[in-house]
Amino acid sequence: MTQEQKQAWYKQFHSYHGYNEHNGIDLIDVDDDYAVVRVELTKQGMNPLDMAHGGLIFSLCDVACGVAARTCGRMTVTLDASVSFLRPGKDTKYLTAVGKVIKPGRTTAVCECEVMDDAGKLLAKCISTAFYLKEQK
């Protein structure tokens, strides 16, 4: 992916003022079949046990995999996803998710994602299936 294409991705990602913006999810890096997103872990993203809420971690996985799957130029929706929570997200400023397409197909793409803390500790792992919509965007 060229620098110009990457800049277009950043601009497109930040032009939508919905769920990602509301939750502070930011696109950090993008390339072919690859995306990195990050969120600052604030009190609003914590559960009652004072650790990252599972829904926030799931959202990071969903966004990272979705962006990675869309780098082929087709719009997607998540068909299914499974997240394994491996350790609590706490004592970190950011949660970072790295999404990759591991098997692109004609109508779907299988993606994987890893969520890490600032020290690089693996907090969660996700496998998801993205469904390619017929319309091109």
Side-chain angles (χ1 to χ4, degrees):
M1 183 177 289
T2 67
Q3 276 305 118
E4 291 79 24
Q5 290 170 318
K6 286 185 178 196
Q7 290 304 318
W9 266 101
Y10 299 133
K11 183 177 179 183
Q12 178 185 352
F13 186 89
H14 293 106
S15 69
Y16 176 68
H17 302 290
Y19 187 83
N20 296 336
E21 181 181 70
H22 175 77
N23 289 289
I25 299 172
D26 194 20
L27 180 64
I28 301 302
D29 193 14
V30 64
D31 212 329
D32 295 330
D33 298 330
Y34 174 86
V36 179
V37 298
R38 180 174 76 179
V39 67
E40 184 174 356
L41 188 56
T42 64
K43 192 70 174 162
Q44 290 76 23
M46 301 282 205
N47 66 21
L49 300 174
D50 220 20
M51 62 182 75
H53 192 284
L56 180 62
I57 292 173
F58 186 95
S59 291
L60 281 174
C61 293
D62 191 47
V63 173
C65 287
V67 172
R70 285 186 196 99
T71 61
C72 72
R74 297 170 67 190
M75 291 298 291
T76 66
V77 293
T78 302
L79 191 60
D80 68 30
S82 176
V83 178
S84 296
F85 299 99
L86 307 173
R87 62 174 47 96
K90 58 182 183 177
D91 303 323
T92 187
K93 183 171 182 176
Y94 293 102
L95 300 177
T96 303
V98 178
K100 299 175 186 175
V101 175
I102 56 175
K103 173 61 173 87
R106 187 174 49 82
T107 58
T108 64
V110 177
C111 304
E112 68 178 2
C113 183
E114 294 185 342
V115 179
M116 284 127 336
D117 65 10
D118 290 338
K121 290 182 190 167
L122 184 62
L123 305 179
K125 196 150 173 87
C126 173
I127 295 289
S128 70
T129 305
F131 177 77
Y132 290 116
L133 301 174
K134 291 185 184 204
E135 66 181 50
Q136 299 288 322
K137 287 194 178 185

